[in-house]
Amino acid sequence: MLKSKTSRWLAGPYLVWMAAFIVVPLFIVIWYAMTNSDGQFTLDNLTQIGRYSSVFARSLILAAVSTVICLVLAFPVGYFLSRLRANKQHIMLMLVMLPMWMNFLLRTYAWMTLLEKNGLINKFFGLFGIGPFNMINTSGAVVLGMVYNYLPFMILPIYTAMTKIDDSIIEAAQDLGCNVWQILWRVLVPLTGPGIATGITQVFVPSVSTFIISRMLGGGSNLLIGDLIELQFLGNSYNLNLGSAMSLVLMVIVLLCMSFTSSFDESEMEGVM
Amino acid sequence: MDENIIVSLKDIVVDFDGQKVLDGLSLDIHDKEFVTFLGPSGCGKTTTLRVIAGFITPKSGNVFFDGKDIADLPPYKRPVNTVFQKYALFPHLNVFENVAFGLRLKKMPEEEIRPKVLEMLEIVGLKGFERRSIHQLSGGQQQRVAIARSLVNQPRVLLLDEPLGALDLKLRKEMQLELKRLQREMNITFVYVTHDQEEALTMSDTVVVMSGGNIQQIGSPQDIYNEPRNAFVARFIGDSNIVDGVMIKDFLVNFGGHDFTCVDRGFKSNEPVQVVIRPEDVQIVPPSIGMLTGLVREVIFKGVHFEMHVDVEGYEWLIHSTQASQPGELIGMNIGPDEIHIMARTEV
């Protein structure tokens, strides 16, 4: 008993931090979202958001597409990594992580110069007399930026889940009659469920709320929720109350998404814990 | 060709990174037999099993099943099932679903799966466990699930890779008898891999003693124990005294400075041989009437018997006896003709 009482104090510093910098600001956001510029209670901010539903929809769709692409890329490579010898695993994991050590803005900026009308890729195609292609300022470029930046967050949890699957389990599945696809659907996917759920959350949440990627690679025509919120706080359409309301709605969307994946997580973990 | 042969290996060569693990191994396994591959770790016994299962493709050689070459058949198409050393149960499925796994892959209708799974669980003594998570089971119970999961598919041959290795001694003995019972009841071939010679002798119809990627001897447990073909087999199967001797003529061998009548023949006159005598076959008598005399060095109480280390003309003999002598005591030793086994001398 003494132990748990003592250990409770260890959480103290963080609890203070959380109260000061997370809980209080959250209430401030809610306060702004529910009031007008004169400080009076109103729901107008929230009801106004309906006008921006196309931006919300675009954000959700682009984030979902990026998440699916990341999943399709990460799953096989996660398996491949987990079957390497330990020392090779470490080297390959470093290579996966390598882009993350570069500044996020710089990475995204690099894609700008690659995708531009006079960028490297179009110049390369020009050598063969094809193009130039219109790549920058498209939703495809935004998806590319999201996948490029967030892919490691999908690979790592899936790889971790894969390392816990013993070779003999895969052999047992083969032995009992599984072909390659059946091994995938009946053994690997269910056993990596928690990793997949973590990966989806880690890619979808930053993708749906990003504003840098869409602004740098998407141009004006691919406005996302993040850009919209930024405009309310730093841009021309300065409106703290509307910006707060948008943040609040985005937060609810993220929470819904996370509760969905975590319920998937739990049902897959049934019998494992 | 013998119709009774179900699995046949011909000149199998397997190498890992240039190191030969199986070196031209050939073996016939008869239908409905309990066959054990016995040998020290690294002898190639598990590799042989995995070649039959299809997890290892040999560098050369053929694997025949019912006379048909199955070299190109992937594991999931082979009519064999494996019980793995580490059980390899599916952690995301409960006991019932683990056992039903193979049947579901065969697209068997649900109403047929259920009775089959329940029947199999009853056979392995896990009635009422079907809804349990496999993490709620003990090691022995997990092993039973693994066995049920394989047997429910009605394989022609069940391959077992040291399945009892992780269990404690008492449970292991229980499971040995149970596996033997299952093999008789299901009336199928079991191929069993173990490094435990007692386990091999207890369960098998045929024991295949392996070492260094080759077969040393194939025979019934009695043959292997009583008539080891070489010193490796004699040493590996139980304790034994192996001494150098000379075959004077048929039925007469000299060792330890004494002529012994024996039951072996067919050696050349005065051929150097190795003589195998099991520790329990040496009879202790007063020194004056002993064929051999020896000095007792050490006496260890082993429960059922005393283990004595006795010095006979420079050879250390191992003797098991129910009566204890004292260290430093001089004893006489008699050996009956039936207890002497002669082997051609091999360099070890």
Side-chain angles (χ1 to χ4, degrees):
Chain A
M1 285 312 277
L2 187 81
K3 225 178 165 182
S4 73
K5 259 185 186 167
T6 338
S7 64
R8 191 183 300 170
W9 290 106
L10 297 174
Y14 178 72
L15 289 177
V16 172
W17 172 278
M18 193 172 81
F21 300 118
I22 298 174
V23 178
V24 172
L26 183 65
F27 278 103
I28 295 174
V29 169
I30 295 173
W31 168 261
Y32 270 103
M34 302 285 203
T35 55
N36 60 22
S37 51
D38 300 328
Q40 265 153 355
F41 177 81
T42 175
L43 287 175
D44 284 355
N45 299 317
L46 290 168
T47 50
Q48 269 186 58
I49 288 173
R51 285 194 283 147
Y52 302 100
S53 57
S54 65
V55 178
F56 275 79
R58 185 187 301 124
S59 294
L60 289 170
I61 289 168
L62 292 189
V65 169
S66 308
T67 308
V68 169
I69 293 173
C70 282
L71 183 59
V72 170
L73 290 175
F75 199 85
V77 87
Y79 179 78
F80 163 75
L81 287 172
S82 72
R83 301 298 121 176
L84 289 175
R85 287 196 195 145
N87 54 344
K88 280 192 187 160
Q89 275 185 28
H90 290 140
I91 295 169
M92 293 298 288
L93 273 181
M94 272 217 329
L95 290 177
V96 169
M97 299 289 291
L98 199 64
M100 316 283 293
W101 299 347
M102 206 89 69
N103 181 280
F104 180 85
L105 281 175
L106 199 66
R107 271 183 277 154
T108 312
Y109 191 74
W111 274 111
M112 271 176 82
T113 61
L114 286 172
L115 297 176
E116 269 167 358
K117 248 204 167 81
N118 302 314
L120 278 175
I121 294 176
N122 271 331
K123 276 187 182 154
F124 176 75
F125 281 128
L127 293 178
F128 304 98
I130 17 180
F133 295 100
N134 185 24
M135 290 180 290
I136 194 86
N137 300 344
T138 60
S139 48
V142 176
V143 169
L144 177 71
M146 289 174 175
V147 171
Y148 181 75
N149 280 307
Y150 302 128
L151 184 57
F153 295 117
M154 184 69 91
I155 294 177
L156 288 180
I158 288 178
Y159 155 79
T160 308
M162 291 277 192
T163 54
K164 290 177 193 145
I165 302 175
D166 197 280
D167 277 339
S168 67
I169 289 195
I170 295 164
E171 284 183 355
Q174 282 180 283
D175 187 75
L176 293 165
C178 278
N179 61 29
V180 176
W181 290 107
Q182 287 165 325
I183 290 173
L184 179 68
W185 289 112
R186 286 172 183 265
V187 180
L188 291 181
V189 168
L191 282 179
T192 50
I196 293 173
T198 308
I200 288 176
T201 312
Q202 289 193 79
V203 172
F204 184 78
V205 172
S207 295
V208 82
S209 58
T210 184
F211 62 97
I212 294 288
I213 295 174
S214 49
R215 198 170 53 189
M216 291 174 93
L217 301 177
S221 57
N222 282 288
L223 205 67
L224 299 185
I225 311 176
D227 303 291
L228 209 54
I229 294 170
E230 197 207 7
L231 280 176
Q232 310 309 314
F233 287 92
L234 301 170
N236 302 330
S237 50
Y238 185 77
N239 185 343
L240 292 185
N241 305 92
L242 183 59
S244 298
M246 286 171 175
S247 304
L248 210 59
V249 172
L250 178 59
M251 210 166 75
V252 171
I253 290 171
V254 168
L255 280 175
L256 283 176
C257 153
M258 280 174 65
S259 68
F260 171 73
T261 49
S262 75
S263 73
F264 166 75
D265 198 346
E266 272 160 32
S267 67
E268 291 303 339
M269 288 299 278
E270 208 173 295
V272 177
M273 300 309 280
Chain B
M1 194 176 164
D2 192 343
E3 272 181 28
N4 199 17
I5 291 171
I6 185 159
V7 175
S8 180
L9 304 176
K10 288 271 180 299
D11 300 317
I12 300 287
V13 175
V14 172
D15 60 7
F16 295 145
D17 303 326
Q19 201 177 355
K20 278 216 170 85
V21 181
L22 292 181
D23 192 3
L25 180 135
S26 296
L27 174 68
D28 289 333
I29 294 170
H30 295 267
D31 199 11
K32 302 185 184 8
E33 213 182 16
F34 199 121
V35 182
T36 302
F37 297 167
L38 174 66
S41 58
C43 71
K45 55 190 191 298
T46 296
T47 307
T48 310
L49 196 80
R50 291 169 63 80
V51 166
I52 299 173
F55 296 126
I56 294 176
T57 310
K59 194 178 158 204
S60 64
N62 304 91
V63 183
F64 296 98
F65 194 96
D66 265 347
K68 282 193 288 283
D69 195 333
I70 56 168
D72 299 327
L73 225 51
Y76 68 90
K77 286 187 181 161
R78 296 196 178 192
V80 300
N81 283 116
T82 309
V83 176
F84 292 85
Q85 190 170 12
K86 287 181 280 180
Y87 317 140
L89 297 175
F90 302 118
H92 57 301
L93 301 175
N94 65 16
V95 170
F96 184 94
E97 287 303 321
N98 262 282
V99 178
F101 194 87
L103 301 180
R104 289 202 195 288
L105 288 171
K106 287 181 191 150
K107 305 224 157 57
M108 187 180 275
E110 189 64 31
E111 63 269 21
E112 283 176 49
I113 291 178
R114 196 162 176 81
K116 269 188 194 287
V117 171
L118 293 180
E119 185 198 348
M120 193 46 71
L121 283 173
E122 193 170 349
I123 289 175
V124 299
L126 286 178
K127 197 181 176 186
F129 281 68
E130 55 270 13
R131 294 179 139 276
R132 296 269 188 105
S133 147
I134 62 156
H135 298 273
Q136 293 170 286
L137 302 181
S138 68
Q141 289 167 337
Q142 289 190 23
Q143 190 56 271
R144 284 161 197 265
V145 175
I147 291 164
R149 184 180 67 173
S150 293
L151 284 178
V152 79
N153 302 297
Q154 296 178 309
R156 298 279 307 281
V157 176
L158 185 70
L159 308 172
L160 302 105
D161 184 7
E162 306 213 23
L164 309 182
L167 305 181
D168 64 59
L169 185 67
K170 189 165 171 287
L171 198 54
R172 202 154 70 217
K173 300 231 166 191
E174 265 175 49
M175 287 299 288
Q176 285 171 11
L177 298 177
E178 198 145 333
L179 282 172
K180 187 71 197 157
R181 172 182 68 83
L182 277 174
Q183 189 256 337
R184 268 195 301 258
E185 274 177 23
M186 311 285 298
N187 201 22
I188 59 171
T189 312
F190 273 36
V191 181
Y192 191 96
V193 162
T194 183
H195 62 267
D196 183 335
Q197 44 99 5
E198 199 193 319
E199 201 163 274
L201 298 180
T202 308
M203 295 195 286
S204 319
D205 300 315
T206 301
V207 180
V208 179
V209 184
M210 294 180 66
S211 163
N214 284 308
I215 293 172
Q216 301 297 322
Q217 187 169 1
I218 303 176
S220 71
Q222 286 91 336
D223 286 349
I224 300 274
Y225 190 84
N226 294 328
E227 318 272 326
R229 186 186 289 165
N230 58 34
F232 174 83
V233 177
R235 286 211 183 89
F236 196 75
I237 312 290
D239 295 322
S240 57
N241 297 295
I242 302 175
V243 292
D244 292 336
V246 173
M247 201 71 189
I248 294 167
K249 55 179 189 183
D250 283 352
F251 310 120
L252 192 66
V253 62
N254 178 288
F255 62 90
H258 191 275
D259 289 348
F260 291 84
T261 43
C262 60
V263 293
D264 301 73
R265 58 186 202 123
F267 292 91
K268 283 185 288 226
S269 185
N270 290 323
E271 183 182 338
V273 292
Q274 282 182 313
V275 182
V276 181
I277 295 131
R278 296 290 177 186
E280 65 274 19
D281 291 338
V282 180
Q283 209 186 338
I284 296 175
V285 295
S288 53
I289 57 165
M291 295 164 166
L292 297 172
T293 51
L295 187 66
V296 179
R297 294 275 184 215
E298 210 178 334
V299 180
I300 302 157
F301 179 59
K302 286 283 189 183
V304 186
H305 58 255
F306 292 92
E307 178 182 302
M308 289 186 276
H309 297 257
V310 181
D311 185 73
V312 183
E313 304 203 333
Y315 278 104
E316 183 174 276
W317 284 59
L318 191 68
I319 300 175
H320 293 170
S321 169
T322 47
Q323 64 209 59
S325 304
Q326 295 305 313
E329 193 181 331
L330 201 63
I331 56 167
M333 294 148 61
N334 280 357
I335 302 155
D338 286 341
E339 326 293 4
I340 295 171
H341 173 65
I342 312 286
M343 305 182 302
R345 200 177 286 188
T346 48
E347 301 307 319
V348 178

